[in-house]
Amino acid sequence: MTDFGDFANIDIEQLMRRGDQQIEQMQQFERVLSDLVGRAQDEDRLVTVEYAGAGLRELELHPKAMRLSSGELAEKIKETIRAAAEDMQRLVEEASEEVFGKENDPMKLLKDPDAAMDRVREAEGLYNRTFDDVMAELGHIQKRLEGA
């Protein structure tokens, strides 16, 4: 019997199920994202903002906001948009963790580049070992065929 190393231990059905599960999670995440809206209001309640995946969705100015100078109003609007975008980001992170789970949350990897690189290196090592096993087995097969 020929030793296939780690390659022989690959469960193709499990691999396919995991792939299907990841596709379903991505579809679920896309559905959840389409409904998320970040919201913010300045402390004086003069500016209200809604921020969604496509960007600024709603901007409401209280009539009293028109009493501010153009510079003050512009600053309040920018700060409130920034706060609504941060709220949207928080909602995305929560949804990502809920859909993918704490351990497999892709948003966590975006916040921690070192952890992302560790995962890449781990995958690369697994790929390299599997490739080496396959190439070694192909070498054995070739030698047997040449000897026959």
Side-chain angles (χ1 to χ4, degrees):
M1 178 106 185
T2 304
D3 180 24
F4 287 99
D6 287 341
F7 189 68
N9 297 324
I10 294 175
D11 182 347
I12 299 298
E13 288 183 24
Q14 180 183 15
L15 197 60
M16 295 297 287
R17 283 191 304 272
R18 181 68 181 137
D20 289 344
Q21 179 186 13
Q22 289 175 338
I23 290 169
E24 174 56 35
Q25 285 175 319
M26 286 304 296
Q27 290 170 340
Q28 180 184 356
F29 189 55
E30 287 176 13
R31 288 189 300 269
V32 169
L33 283 181
S34 67
D35 294 333
L36 295 180
V37 179
R39 292 178 174 82
Q41 189 174 58
D42 76 301
E43 61 189 30
D44 300 322
R45 299 178 181 248
L46 299 177
V47 178
T48 303
V49 169
E50 288 186 358
Y51 196 92
L56 183 62
R57 186 172 119 166
E58 188 72 37
L59 171 63
E60 292 181 23
L61 301 175
H62 190 280
K64 291 181 183 177
M66 297 305 130
R67 296 180 187 155
L68 299 172
S69 72
S70 62
E72 290 172 321
L73 181 57
E75 198 56 39
K76 274 196 184 291
I77 291 171
K78 288 189 291 186
E79 288 173 8
T80 309
I81 290 173
R82 192 172 15 258
E86 288 172 1
D87 185 48
M88 176 67 178
Q89 182 63 36
R90 179 189 57 76
L91 293 172
V92 168
E93 289 170 6
E94 288 174 2
S96 180
E97 185 175 310
E98 184 177 315
V99 170
F100 296 104
K102 204 168 200 154
E103 287 301 312
N104 296 315
D105 182 3
M107 297 302 288
K108 184 172 71 175
L109 294 178
L110 292 175
K111 287 182 160 185
D112 187 354
D114 292 334
M117 285 308 297
D118 288 345
R119 296 278 299 265
V120 168
R121 285 186 202 99
E122 181 181 314
E124 180 183 34
L126 180 59
Y127 169 80
N128 287 338
R129 284 190 302 280
T130 303
F131 181 78
D132 290 345
D133 289 346
V134 169
M135 293 309 292
E137 187 55 37
L138 288 174
H140 295 305
I141 291 170
Q142 181 180 12
K143 287 179 184 176
R144 282 197 311 259
L145 289 173
E146 289 172 355

